[in-house]
Amino acid sequence: MNVRRSAAVLAAVAVIGAATPAAADPSPSPSRAFPSALYGGTDPKYDGVWRQSLALLAQDTVGVKPAAKSVQWLARQQCADGGFASYRPDPAAACDAKTMLDTNATSAAVQALTALGGHDDVTGKAVGWLKSVQNKDGGWGYSPGGASDTNSTSVVIGALAAAGEKPDQVVKDGKSPYDALLKLALPCGGDDDGAFAFQPDKKGDLAPNADATAAGVLGSLGKGMVVEPGKKSGTACEKATTPQQAAANGADYLTAALTKDDGHLMSALAGAEPQPDFGNTADAVVALAARGDTAQAEKSVRWLEKNSADWAAQSGPAAYAQLIFAAHATGTNPRDFGGADLVKQLNATGPAPQTAEKTKAADEKEDSGSDFFGVWWYVGVCLVAGIGIGFLFTGRKKKQQP
């Protein structure tokens, strides 16, 4: 779910089966050659479907109705077999053997389109495709046939759950996605108690990875990108024989890591000076909130409120979406996130959303008042005509907030 990785890294990842989409510029240029329905202004080659899905899902989460053409663009990215590539510049062209399908993009699209509703045919085919490329260990890699990794397996679990499937019943050779996650969880008894690895290394060893741990906690809980605060259960790090215990262990690891660095996680890219990792911190907030670790989640979301503005502005729609998901998970107002309106900023990265639908109660209230107002407006006009006195009518403007 992170957007921090470069397109160069993702190009390599797509080949070897690693994980997450690239950053996106929040300010689309009117002269760009990219589709007008797309959110973000950078080359969508490696993250077009991903960032579009997160943007639409975030809008839906805050009650904003996305632009119809943006939803249609996402649905049309699907290939005939049900899978999605990271980006198809010409959706009218049939997918072929050279089309690199992507489990992460497919799963993100399922979560977004399921939330928006009305796309059961698309999401049904996508879920069918995901099941068809499940690995024998029960998990998924970034690309079909790639070794299972925590991030991909977890985002697929989120898609299955969103579509009404029971992830523990989606099995290959008797193995479910939870079996795959349990194999990627580090044991207790060391400095990295309870963390998840992204994948085993060449020797089969597991190395702790905070990004994978945030994803692994969500996946083990059977949750997608949008969560409500959960109920905390489980004890300190114990042998993970169930997904729930693996989630508890992973949450403890994240809490310790967040506490160590004043409420946020640090990046650990090889050869680079460690920097605050905003995207992974946002994901950790969502994971902890889903698990019921609300105290640490709230501390970390406060840190994001104070420090994430520049990162989000540089990274674009998926980053704004991650922050909205973190705000939603902790009951924080995304329209006043450290003084910033995340919803407005997200909306500005693509086509203007449709006007939010009115509630039935609001319609009835408006209708009941309109007749009364109309009668007196008519009387007023008659008085003006009769006695020649001019009145200045100031129309009430409804504040519409997408």
Side-chain angles (χ1 to χ4, degrees):
M1 289 170 61
N2 285 306
V3 296
R4 69 185 185 275
R5 304 188 183 191
S6 69
V9 170
L10 281 166
V13 161
V15 175
I16 64 174
T20 356
D25 186 334
S27 303
S29 169
S31 61
R32 67 180 185 170
F34 307 133
S36 63
L38 183 65
Y39 278 78
T42 56
D43 189 343
K45 183 176 181 180
Y46 298 107
D47 78 330
V49 168
W50 178 268
R51 76 193 193 207
Q52 188 84 344
S53 298
L54 266 65
L56 301 182
L57 182 58
Q59 288 179 325
D60 179 78
T61 299
V62 296
V64 171
K65 190 172 183 179
K69 68 176 183 178
S70 293
V71 179
Q72 182 184 44
W73 180 89
L74 178 60
R76 293 186 66 211
Q77 285 287 302
Q78 187 176 44
C79 293
D81 63 2
F84 284 73
S86 298
Y87 172 68
R88 292 202 296 139
D90 182 10
C95 301
D96 56 26
K98 295 181 180 180
T99 304
M100 298 184 67
L101 299 180
D102 170 350
T103 63
N104 288 228
T106 303
S107 298
V110 168
Q111 293 191 48
L113 293 173
T114 299
L116 293 169
H119 297 86
D120 291 352
D121 54 338
V122 176
T123 56
K125 288 176 62 178
V127 167
W129 179 81
L130 288 168
K131 290 180 178 180
S132 75
V133 298
Q134 184 176 17
N135 290 333
K136 291 181 179 180
D137 62 4
W140 286 266
Y142 181 86
S143 301
S148 296
D149 66 74
T150 297
N151 297 62
S152 298
T153 300
S154 296
V155 75
V156 174
I157 288 175
L160 294 173
E165 298 280 344
K166 295 182 177 180
D168 62 331
Q169 296 180 11
V170 178
V171 298
K172 183 72 172 288
D173 286 2
K175 301 291 184 180
S176 79
Y178 297 127
D179 292 313
L181 289 181
L182 288 173
K183 285 190 174 182
L184 291 165
L186 276 74
C188 302
D191 294 336
D192 304 314
D193 281 359
F196 282 83
F198 174 68
Q199 284 177 327
D201 63 18
K202 293 181 179 179
K203 295 181 180 180
D205 296 329
L206 300 177
N209 184 298
D211 182 11
T213 302
V217 170
L218 274 182
S220 296
L221 293 171
K223 302 294 184 180
M225 299 178 193
V226 179
V227 305
E228 305 295 335
K231 185 176 181 180
K232 189 172 182 178
S233 63
T235 59
C237 196
E238 294 182 358
K239 184 177 181 180
T241 57
T242 66
Q244 292 74 22
Q245 187 60 53
N249 295 348
D252 286 347
Y253 172 85
L254 289 175
T255 297
L258 289 164
T259 302
K260 177 182 177 182
D261 289 307
D262 194 29
H264 66 279
L265 298 172
M266 298 292 289
S267 67
L269 297 177
E273 191 72 20
Q275 298 290 333
D277 191 332
F278 302 95
N280 198 14
T281 299
D283 291 347
V285 167
V286 175
L288 290 175
R291 162 77 190 359
D293 293 281
T294 53
Q296 183 58 58
E298 289 172 0
K299 289 178 183 178
S300 294
V301 87
R302 299 287 89 82
W303 181 87
L304 287 169
E305 283 188 292
K306 295 177 181 178
N307 298 283
S308 64
D310 290 343
W311 166 76
Q314 182 179 6
S315 300
Y320 286 122
Q322 286 178 274
L323 294 176
I324 289 172
F325 297 151
H328 176 80
T330 55
T332 303
N333 184 2
R335 299 181 187 276
D336 185 14
F337 194 81
D341 187 338
L342 297 177
V343 180
K344 182 178 180 180
Q345 291 171 326
L346 171 61
N347 292 345
T349 68
Q354 301 180 58
T355 303
E357 294 180 354
K358 300 173 185 175
T359 64
K360 181 178 180 182
D363 284 340
E364 290 175 350
K365 181 179 179 181
E366 188 171 279
D367 289 342
S368 65
S370 62
D371 290 339
F372 178 83
F373 179 78
V375 168
W376 286 104
W377 180 86
Y378 179 78
V379 171
V381 171
C382 291
L383 287 172
V384 171
I387 62 179
I389 299 175
F391 288 90
L392 178 62
F393 288 87
T394 304
R396 292 182 301 167
K397 295 183 178 179
K398 293 181 180 180
K399 292 183 179 179
Q400 292 183 347
Q401 195 169 40

PDB file of all heavy atoms in Angstrom, residues 18 27 43 57 91 107 123 129 132 149 160 191 193 209 216 223 243-244 271 328 349 385:
ATOM      1  N   ALA A  18       7.925  -8.733  -6.783  1.00  0.00           N
ATOM      2  CA  ALA A  18       7.867  -7.966  -5.545  1.00  0.00           C
ATOM      3  C   ALA A  18       6.722  -6.987  -5.606  1.00  0.00           C
ATOM      4  O   ALA A  18       5.857  -7.110  -6.419  1.00  0.00           O
ATOM      5  CB  ALA A  18       9.205  -7.270  -5.315  1.00  0.00           C
ATOM      6  N   SER A  27      -0.452  16.947  -9.061  1.00  0.00           N
ATOM      7  CA  SER A  27      -0.968  18.025  -9.904  1.00  0.00           C
ATOM      8  C   SER A  27      -0.947  17.643 -11.368  1.00  0.00           C
ATOM      9  O   SER A  27       0.045  17.839 -12.062  1.00  0.00           O
ATOM     10  CB  SER A  27      -0.127  19.291  -9.695  1.00  0.00           C
ATOM     11  OG  SER A  27      -0.127  19.660  -8.343  1.00  0.00           O
ATOM     12  N   ASP A  43       3.653   9.529 -14.918  1.00  0.00           N
ATOM     13  CA  ASP A  43       3.488   8.360 -15.786  1.00  0.00           C
ATOM     14  C   ASP A  43       2.812   7.229 -15.004  1.00  0.00           C
ATOM     15  O   ASP A  43       3.322   6.774 -13.981  1.00  0.00           O
ATOM     16  CB  ASP A  43       4.856   7.901 -16.277  1.00  0.00           C
ATOM     17  CG  ASP A  43       4.768   6.836 -17.359  1.00  0.00           C
ATOM     18  OD1 ASP A  43       3.690   6.226 -17.512  1.00  0.00           O
ATOM     19  OD2 ASP A  43       5.780   6.616 -18.051  1.00  0.00           O
ATOM     20  N   LEU A  57     -11.539   4.738  -3.783  1.00  0.00           N
ATOM     21  CA  LEU A  57     -11.927   4.117  -2.516  1.00  0.00           C
ATOM     22  C   LEU A  57     -11.920   5.147  -1.391  1.00  0.00           C
ATOM     23  O   LEU A  57     -12.822   5.161  -0.534  1.00  0.00           O
ATOM     24  CB  LEU A  57     -10.989   2.957  -2.190  1.00  0.00           C
ATOM     25  CG  LEU A  57     -11.283   2.162  -0.916  1.00  0.00           C
ATOM     26  CD1 LEU A  57     -12.687   1.565  -0.959  1.00  0.00           C
ATOM     27  CD2 LEU A  57     -10.243   1.053  -0.730  1.00  0.00           C
ATOM     28  N   PRO A  91      -7.300   0.653 -23.365  1.00  0.00           N
ATOM     29  CA  PRO A  91      -8.171  -0.403 -22.860  1.00  0.00           C
ATOM     30  C   PRO A  91      -8.958  -1.119 -23.944  1.00  0.00           C
ATOM     31  O   PRO A  91      -9.446  -2.235 -23.727  1.00  0.00           O
ATOM     32  CB  PRO A  91      -9.125   0.348 -21.922  1.00  0.00           C
ATOM     33  CG  PRO A  91      -8.423   1.615 -21.578  1.00  0.00           C
ATOM     34  CD  PRO A  91      -7.620   1.967 -22.789  1.00  0.00           C
ATOM     35  N   SER A 107      -6.405  -6.518  -6.971  1.00  0.00           N
ATOM     36  CA  SER A 107      -7.025  -6.510  -5.648  1.00  0.00           C
ATOM     37  C   SER A 107      -7.475  -5.111  -5.242  1.00  0.00           C
ATOM     38  O   SER A 107      -8.530  -4.946  -4.625  1.00  0.00           O
ATOM     39  CB  SER A 107      -6.042  -7.062  -4.612  1.00  0.00           C
ATOM     40  OG  SER A 107      -5.713  -8.404  -4.909  1.00  0.00           O
ATOM     41  N   THR A 123     -15.939  -7.227 -10.665  1.00  0.00           N
ATOM     42  CA  THR A 123     -15.288  -7.745  -9.461  1.00  0.00           C
ATOM     43  C   THR A 123     -15.375  -9.268  -9.389  1.00  0.00           C
ATOM     44  O   THR A 123     -14.453  -9.930  -8.916  1.00  0.00           O
ATOM     45  CB  THR A 123     -15.914  -7.127  -8.200  1.00  0.00           C
ATOM     46  OG1 THR A 123     -17.320  -7.373  -8.183  1.00  0.00           O
ATOM     47  CG2 THR A 123     -15.690  -5.612  -8.181  1.00  0.00           C
ATOM     48  N   TRP A 129     -10.143 -14.559 -11.270  1.00  0.00           N
ATOM     49  CA  TRP A 129      -8.761 -14.570 -11.755  1.00  0.00           C
ATOM     50  C   TRP A 129      -7.780 -14.707 -10.594  1.00  0.00           C
ATOM     51  O   TRP A 129      -6.810 -15.474 -10.678  1.00  0.00           O
ATOM     52  CB  TRP A 129      -8.468 -13.288 -12.531  1.00  0.00           C
ATOM     53  CG  TRP A 129      -7.057 -13.242 -13.034  1.00  0.00           C
ATOM     54  CD1 TRP A 129      -6.555 -13.855 -14.155  1.00  0.00           C
ATOM     55  CD2 TRP A 129      -5.951 -12.586 -12.420  1.00  0.00           C
ATOM     56  NE1 TRP A 129      -5.199 -13.612 -14.271  1.00  0.00           N
ATOM     57  CE2 TRP A 129      -4.808 -12.831 -13.225  1.00  0.00           C
ATOM     58  CE3 TRP A 129      -5.811 -11.806 -11.280  1.00  0.00           C
ATOM     59  CZ2 TRP A 129      -3.553 -12.328 -12.905  1.00  0.00           C
ATOM     60  CZ3 TRP A 129      -4.554 -11.300 -10.951  1.00  0.00           C
ATOM     61  CH2 TRP A 129      -3.429 -11.557 -11.763  1.00  0.00           C
ATOM     62  N   SER A 132      -7.506 -18.148  -9.533  1.00  0.00           N
ATOM     63  CA  SER A 132      -6.841 -19.005 -10.528  1.00  0.00           C
ATOM     64  C   SER A 132      -5.323 -18.905 -10.457  1.00  0.00           C
ATOM     65  O   SER A 132      -4.628 -19.805 -10.954  1.00  0.00           O
ATOM     66  CB  SER A 132      -7.318 -18.642 -11.943  1.00  0.00           C
ATOM     67  OG  SER A 132      -6.745 -17.422 -12.387  1.00  0.00           O
ATOM     68  N   ASP A 149       4.349 -13.335  -1.269  1.00  0.00           N
ATOM     69  CA  ASP A 149       4.891 -12.341  -0.351  1.00  0.00           C
ATOM     70  C   ASP A 149       3.775 -11.831   0.538  1.00  0.00           C
ATOM     71  O   ASP A 149       2.589 -11.955   0.201  1.00  0.00           O
ATOM     72  CB  ASP A 149       5.581 -11.203  -1.109  1.00  0.00           C
ATOM     73  CG  ASP A 149       4.635 -10.362  -1.936  1.00  0.00           C
ATOM     74  OD1 ASP A 149       3.885  -9.559  -1.337  1.00  0.00           O
ATOM     75  OD2 ASP A 149       4.630 -10.478  -3.180  1.00  0.00           O
ATOM     76  N   LEU A 160     -10.710 -10.274  -1.412  1.00  0.00           N
ATOM     77  CA  LEU A 160     -11.633 -11.395  -1.229  1.00  0.00           C
ATOM     78  C   LEU A 160     -12.703 -11.055  -0.196  1.00  0.00           C
ATOM     79  O   LEU A 160     -13.894 -11.296  -0.406  1.00  0.00           O
ATOM     80  CB  LEU A 160     -10.857 -12.642  -0.785  1.00  0.00           C
ATOM     81  CG  LEU A 160      -9.873 -13.238  -1.806  1.00  0.00           C
ATOM     82  CD1 LEU A 160      -9.058 -14.346  -1.148  1.00  0.00           C
ATOM     83  CD2 LEU A 160     -10.596 -13.770  -3.031  1.00  0.00           C
ATOM     84  N   ASP A 191      14.810  -9.745  18.897  1.00  0.00           N
ATOM     85  CA  ASP A 191      14.546  -8.310  18.771  1.00  0.00           C
ATOM     86  C   ASP A 191      13.400  -8.018  17.810  1.00  0.00           C
ATOM     87  O   ASP A 191      12.788  -6.952  17.874  1.00  0.00           O
ATOM     88  CB  ASP A 191      15.808  -7.582  18.288  1.00  0.00           C
ATOM     89  CG  ASP A 191      16.920  -7.630  19.313  1.00  0.00           C
ATOM     90  OD1 ASP A 191      16.592  -7.798  20.509  1.00  0.00           O
ATOM     91  OD2 ASP A 191      18.085  -7.493  18.928  1.00  0.00           O
ATOM     92  N   ASP A 193      10.569  -9.776  17.404  1.00  0.00           N
ATOM     93  CA  ASP A 193       9.398 -10.561  17.790  1.00  0.00           C
ATOM     94  C   ASP A 193       8.160 -10.182  16.989  1.00  0.00           C
ATOM     95  O   ASP A 193       7.747  -9.027  16.972  1.00  0.00           O
ATOM     96  CB  ASP A 193       9.070 -10.320  19.267  1.00  0.00           C
ATOM     97  CG  ASP A 193       9.976 -11.110  20.200  1.00  0.00           C
ATOM     98  OD1 ASP A 193      10.831 -11.845  19.697  1.00  0.00           O
ATOM     99  OD2 ASP A 193       9.823 -10.977  21.426  1.00  0.00           O
ATOM    100  N   ASN A 209      10.286  -6.751   8.302  1.00  0.00           N
ATOM    101  CA  ASN A 209       9.990  -5.673   7.373  1.00  0.00           C
ATOM    102  C   ASN A 209       8.738  -4.964   7.870  1.00  0.00           C
ATOM    103  O   ASN A 209       7.669  -5.561   7.940  1.00  0.00           O
ATOM    104  CB  ASN A 209       9.769  -6.250   5.967  1.00  0.00           C
ATOM    105  CG  ASN A 209       9.549  -5.189   4.919  1.00  0.00           C
ATOM    106  OD1 ASN A 209       8.583  -4.435   4.997  1.00  0.00           O
ATOM    107  ND2 ASN A 209      10.412  -5.149   3.926  1.00  0.00           N
ATOM    108  N   GLY A 216       0.737  -7.438   6.813  1.00  0.00           N
ATOM    109  CA  GLY A 216       0.463  -8.751   7.381  1.00  0.00           C
ATOM    110  C   GLY A 216      -0.550  -8.729   8.504  1.00  0.00           C
ATOM    111  O   GLY A 216      -1.360  -9.661   8.647  1.00  0.00           O
ATOM    112  N   LYS A 223      -8.810  -8.062   6.788  1.00  0.00           N
ATOM    113  CA  LYS A 223      -9.289  -6.714   6.508  1.00  0.00           C
ATOM    114  C   LYS A 223      -8.675  -6.151   5.225  1.00  0.00           C
ATOM    115  O   LYS A 223      -7.599  -6.557   4.799  1.00  0.00           O
ATOM    116  CB  LYS A 223      -8.928  -5.780   7.669  1.00  0.00           C
ATOM    117  CG  LYS A 223      -9.482  -6.200   9.016  1.00  0.00           C
ATOM    118  CD  LYS A 223     -10.996  -6.137   9.062  1.00  0.00           C
ATOM    119  CE  LYS A 223     -11.529  -6.466  10.450  1.00  0.00           C
ATOM    120  NZ  LYS A 223     -13.011  -6.421  10.516  1.00  0.00           N
ATOM    121  N   PRO A 243      -4.087 -16.963  12.632  1.00  0.00           N
ATOM    122  CA  PRO A 243      -3.927 -15.627  12.055  1.00  0.00           C
ATOM    123  C   PRO A 243      -4.102 -14.524  13.092  1.00  0.00           C
ATOM    124  O   PRO A 243      -3.407 -13.504  13.051  1.00  0.00           O
ATOM    125  CB  PRO A 243      -5.018 -15.560  10.983  1.00  0.00           C
ATOM    126  CG  PRO A 243      -5.367 -16.970  10.678  1.00  0.00           C
ATOM    127  CD  PRO A 243      -5.141 -17.741  11.931  1.00  0.00           C
ATOM    128  N   GLN A 244      -5.015 -14.718  14.026  1.00  0.00           N
ATOM    129  CA  GLN A 244      -5.259 -13.703  15.055  1.00  0.00           C
ATOM    130  C   GLN A 244      -4.028 -13.482  15.910  1.00  0.00           C
ATOM    131  O   GLN A 244      -3.687 -12.334  16.258  1.00  0.00           O
ATOM    132  CB  GLN A 244      -6.446 -14.121  15.937  1.00  0.00           C
ATOM    133  CG  GLN A 244      -7.797 -14.125  15.244  1.00  0.00           C
ATOM    134  CD  GLN A 244      -7.982 -15.308  14.281  1.00  0.00           C
ATOM    135  OE1 GLN A 244      -7.304 -16.343  14.414  1.00  0.00           O
ATOM    136  NE2 GLN A 244      -8.884 -15.175  13.329  1.00  0.00           N
ATOM    137  N   GLY A 271      21.706   2.019   1.142  1.00  0.00           N
ATOM    138  CA  GLY A 271      22.561   3.092   0.643  1.00  0.00           C
ATOM    139  C   GLY A 271      22.030   4.489   0.871  1.00  0.00           C
ATOM    140  O   GLY A 271      22.677   5.464   0.497  1.00  0.00           O
ATOM    141  N   HIS A 328      -9.675   7.872   8.848  1.00  0.00           N
ATOM    142  CA  HIS A 328     -10.935   7.142   9.034  1.00  0.00           C
ATOM    143  C   HIS A 328     -10.801   6.087  10.122  1.00  0.00           C
ATOM    144  O   HIS A 328     -11.699   5.934  10.969  1.00  0.00           O
ATOM    145  CB  HIS A 328     -11.350   6.488   7.716  1.00  0.00           C
ATOM    146  CG  HIS A 328     -12.585   5.646   7.828  1.00  0.00           C
ATOM    147  ND1 HIS A 328     -13.858   6.170   7.824  1.00  0.00           N
ATOM    148  CD2 HIS A 328     -12.736   4.295   7.954  1.00  0.00           C
ATOM    149  CE1 HIS A 328     -14.746   5.196   7.946  1.00  0.00           C
ATOM    150  NE2 HIS A 328     -14.094   4.049   8.024  1.00  0.00           N
ATOM    151  N   THR A 349      -6.504  16.262  -7.509  1.00  0.00           N
ATOM    152  CA  THR A 349      -5.524  15.538  -8.318  1.00  0.00           C
ATOM    153  C   THR A 349      -6.127  14.862  -9.542  1.00  0.00           C
ATOM    154  O   THR A 349      -5.424  14.189 -10.294  1.00  0.00           O
ATOM    155  CB  THR A 349      -4.802  14.464  -7.477  1.00  0.00           C
ATOM    156  OG1 THR A 349      -5.730  13.420  -7.132  1.00  0.00           O
ATOM    157  CG2 THR A 349      -4.199  15.057  -6.214  1.00  0.00           C
ATOM    158  N   ALA A 385     -43.910  45.275  -7.232  1.00  0.00           N
ATOM    159  CA  ALA A 385     -44.544  45.807  -8.429  1.00  0.00           C
ATOM    160  C   ALA A 385     -45.598  46.847  -8.081  1.00  0.00           C
ATOM    161  O   ALA A 385     -45.800  47.832  -8.795  1.00  0.00           O
ATOM    162  CB  ALA A 385     -45.176  44.662  -9.230  1.00  0.00           C
TER     163      ALA A 385
END
